[in-house]
Amino acid sequence: MSTAAAAQLERWQRFRTNRNKALAARHGWLTLTSFQWLESVPAAVDLAPGLWSTDGTTAVLTAAVQAGLTLVATGEPVDGTVTAALADEESLMWVQFGGADGQQVVVELAVRADRYAIRTRDSASPVLTEFDGVPTFDYNPHLVIDATYEPYPGPVAIPIGTANPLVDGVHYSVGEVVFRLPGVDHEYRLHAEEEKLGALTVTFHDGTNGDSTDEWRKVSTPRPRVDAAGNATVVLDFNRAINYPSAFSPFGTCPMPVKNNSLDAKIEAGEKQPTLAD
């Protein structure tokens, strides 16, 4: 193995280590145990104490101090009624309870499709406690692809589905990543979304989905490089393709790929379908 190839492999191994550490966070994506819409009338919910409701603009929680709920932000006990207001697609780690430290379960408040919902995040979930890393394909240097990036004049909103059939989503396409795959005689053009600091994320289907991989995955690139002629390029490293949270839990609301983001080839790189504890 050349020095350059060895360095590339080492960078990928560091990426994998950091990825698994992030997934193993105490109240991260591996701890989701429910997704529940809030109704207009105060009512009990599964897996969390208190009475929960919404008037459409604000979420309301009422509980006695004996329920053991505290606010995540301050640690203050909930004794009576508390409220919170969010915009669409926002989330708030709102209250917590349980366990020796009173923080075993965090209840996340969220607004999805302009409706209030809660998700419980239980750090005792076996999906987390038995997690030992996401299985991956072996590193494949041939699937580190040089691509061009063709930006749009402005973001284009494209309606999409999500992992939850009751939640619609929107993909804000900022341009297309254009490339060829080894052994394939035609070009691909995939829609990309812009992330922090100008990085791009591409959500895609490929021929491994439903077999060795989940139904769809995503891969991110650094900010495009622009040459003197104004041409933009990116490196699309499919070894860094990762699962959305919905691969680990039925309680995710993760975005599906836009209609044209499908590859008629098997991308045997990146994360595979995770093996989950019952």
Side-chain angles (χ1 to χ4, degrees):
M1 182 182 294
S2 69
T3 302
Q8 195 175 46
L9 176 60
E10 184 180 354
R11 287 194 294 272
W12 177 73
Q13 290 170 334
R14 287 200 301 269
F15 168 80
R16 291 303 322 155
T17 297
N18 291 334
R19 164 70 171 161
N20 287 325
K21 283 182 179 178
L23 281 171
R26 186 181 183 192
H27 293 109
W29 293 117
L30 303 186
T31 66
L32 296 181
T33 52
S34 74
F35 178 98
Q36 303 169 77
W37 298 111
L38 298 187
E39 304 296 341
S40 59
V41 177
V45 298
D46 294 334
L47 307 180
L51 298 177
W52 302 73
S53 63
T54 179
D55 62 4
T57 61
T58 302
V60 181
L61 165 62
T62 301
V65 69
Q66 292 85 355
L69 289 164
T70 61
L71 296 172
V72 171
T74 64
E76 180 183 355
V78 176
D79 187 12
T81 297
V82 293
T83 63
L86 301 175
D88 194 32
E89 293 301 315
E90 287 187 335
S91 294
L92 170 68
M93 299 302 186
W94 194 14
V95 294
Q96 59 196 356
F97 67 94
D101 60 359
Q103 300 175 12
Q104 177 181 318
V105 180
V106 165
V107 183
E108 172 194 4
L109 181 68
V111 178
R112 298 293 182 268
D114 293 315
R115 294 178 63 188
Y116 275 94
I118 60 168
R119 287 194 288 209
T120 48
R121 295 174 176 250
D122 189 343
S123 59
S125 167
V127 178
L128 173 64
T129 59
E130 299 181 21
F131 176 67
D132 61 357
V134 186
T136 69
F137 293 97
D138 291 337
Y139 184 81
N140 184 350
H142 301 295
L143 286 174
V144 182
I145 308 295
D146 291 323
T148 58
Y149 172 58
E150 299 180 2
Y152 298 147
V156 177
I158 302 174
I160 56 171
T162 74
N164 185 321
L166 299 178
V167 177
D168 294 327
V170 178
H171 184 284
Y172 292 97
S173 294
V174 294
E176 296 177 10
V177 176
V178 185
F179 61 97
R180 291 180 182 270
L181 290 171
V184 179
D185 61 3
H186 56 270
E187 184 178 81
Y188 296 99
R189 308 179 70 90
L190 301 185
H191 290 255
E193 282 194 300
E194 188 172 70
E195 306 296 342
K196 294 179 181 178
L197 303 177
L200 301 176
T201 293
V202 175
T203 301
F204 66 95
H205 291 295
D206 75 272
T208 66
N209 296 161
D211 181 13
S212 53
T213 65
D214 195 44
E215 295 302 318
W216 64 88
R217 294 179 290 167
K218 67 177 178 177
V219 62
S220 297
T221 79
R223 182 174 183 160
R225 294 183 177 182
V226 181
D227 63 21
N231 299 312
T233 60
V234 294
V235 174
L236 199 60
D237 186 352
F238 283 107
N239 295 284
R240 298 192 178 211
I242 63 172
N243 294 315
Y244 272 98
S246 53
F248 304 96
S249 167
F251 307 115
T253 57
C254 304
M256 291 180 175
V258 298
K259 183 177 179 180
N260 295 329
N261 275 27
S262 295
L263 303 175
D264 59 350
K266 291 185 176 183
I267 302 298
E268 293 179 319
E271 291 186 350
K272 294 183 177 181
Q273 178 75 46
T275 302
L276 303 178
D278 294 331

